Amino acid sequence: MYGMKPDRHGMVCCPFHSDSDPSMKLNDTYYYCFGCGANGDAIDLTAKLF
Ligand SMILES: [Zn+2]
């Protein structure tokens, strides 16, 4: 969604810090970044990206 392609574990590269390996868990209801600790719900993420 939104141009981010989760891998089979639902992980994507975090847009909030310089991420070389996917460290953000993303699904339909929430996201959480294991790298920088960013988290919120999917609506939150969309709002922050755009
Ligand atoms: Zn991050």
Side-chain angles (χ1 to χ4, degrees):
M1 60 197 224
Y2 314 122
M4 298 164 76
K5 298 214 188 316
D7 66 15
R8 65 185 180 282
H9 302 297
M11 303 296 288
V12 296
C13 285
C14 177
F16 302 119
H17 76 275
S18 183
D19 207 2
S20 52
D21 294 305
S23 57
M24 175 178 277
K25 175 88 175 165
L26 176 64
N27 63 33
D28 287 340
T29 51
Y30 73 94
Y31 67 93
Y32 177 77
C33 176
F34 295 95
C36 67
N39 68 89
D41 59 29
I43 295 163
D44 232 30
L45 177 61
T46 315
K48 282 175 181 163
L49 286 176
F50 298 100

